[in-house]
Amino acid sequence: GELSLVDEDITVVMPADQISGKAYDLKYRAQKLEQVYCVKVVGIDIVNKLVHVSHHAARLEMRPKIENELNKCLSAKDKAPILVKGKVLKIQTKTVDGVTMDTGVWLDLCGVGILAYIYIGNWKKTFTESLRGKARYGDIVDVIVTEKVERNKGMYYYACSRKELAQDPWERLKLNETRVIS
């Protein structure tokens, strides 16, 4: 269950309980291999050429700093766009009249456990009927943080958008271009 990386003659090791702070179910170990981790060095064994790292420790250290920076930027008067990366955690769905519809995507911002949400209407500039096939667990996407939304009892998330970053398909067409519609 632990992850390791060999670089020349040095081995970097992250124990299973240092990924999220607790041991994970080993049936998900393939998913753990394909993820990218922000880590903190927690120990060095010079004799055995081992470097011990922790994603959990890095998250605990960096999350408050990143949240403070996001909040500061959101409350600034000039409100410059806040561009960050987020990892897709889950596609949110709802069922209406027996039909399941995608409503948005939950993200982990900056890989430190900051919860964010992209409403399906903010996925791209054109209509998005479904997010299946366009986003999947573990994908890293660029987003713009638009606001901090309080849910209930002090819980909150950051609302995000991708449509400002996506190419507008209408801008690719030239005015003298003709289309035959039959």
Side-chain angles (χ1 to χ4, degrees):
E2 74 180 17
L3 301 176
S4 62
L5 168 76
V6 178
D7 186 7
E8 307 238 349
D9 61 342
I10 297 173
T11 304
V12 179
V13 178
M14 183 164 51
D17 64 343
Q18 291 303 307
I19 294 173
S20 64
K22 59 184 186 229
Y24 63 89
D25 188 340
L26 291 179
K27 70 181 177 184
Y28 298 112
R29 66 180 157 211
Q31 289 177 344
K32 302 297 180 191
L33 285 173
E34 66 182 11
Q35 292 182 17
V36 176
Y37 298 98
C38 165
V39 297
K40 177 180 180 179
V41 174
V42 293
I44 299 174
D45 180 351
I46 296 173
V47 174
N48 295 315
K49 296 184 178 183
L50 290 172
V51 176
H52 299 275
V53 297
S54 171
H55 175 60
H56 181 65
R59 286 176 60 176
L60 290 176
E61 183 178 314
M62 294 306 296
R63 181 179 174 153
K65 294 175 185 176
I66 293 171
E67 280 182 303
N68 286 339
E69 190 64 28
L70 286 173
N71 293 335
K72 186 172 93 177
C73 291
L74 285 171
S75 63
K77 290 183 181 179
D78 60 358
K79 284 243 183 171
I82 307 166
L83 179 64
V84 296
K85 292 193 181 293
K87 180 173 81 171
V88 174
L89 298 176
K90 176 185 177 187
I91 295 176
Q92 178 85 29
T93 60
K94 72 176 182 179
T95 304
V96 178
D97 297 328
V99 178
T100 302
M101 302 168 21
D102 296 338
T103 58
V105 176
W106 288 101
L107 303 171
D108 171 3
L109 290 185
C110 304
V112 295
I114 299 172
L115 193 60
Y117 185 74
I118 304 174
Y119 172 67
I120 193 168
N122 290 326
W123 187 255
K124 62 181 183 177
K125 291 183 189 259
T126 58
F127 175 71
T128 306
E129 182 177 352
S130 171
L131 293 166
R132 306 283 169 189
K134 295 173 183 65
R136 64 183 180 92
Y137 175 80
D139 285 353
I140 306 294
V141 294
D142 290 325
V143 297
I144 292 178
V145 179
T146 58
E147 67 179 315
K148 184 175 181 178
V149 179
E150 188 168 344
R151 291 173 80 176
N152 52 4
K153 298 178 184 167
M155 299 294 289
Y156 62 90
Y157 66 91
Y158 290 90
C160 297
S161 176
R162 288 185 69 244
K163 70 178 171 181
E164 296 82 3
L165 305 173
Q167 183 179 6
D168 188 341
W170 294 105
E171 290 177 1
R172 290 185 301 196
L173 295 176
K174 295 184 175 111
L175 291 177
N176 61 357
E177 193 174 322
T178 57
R179 301 272 179 181
V180 176
I181 301 174
S182 48

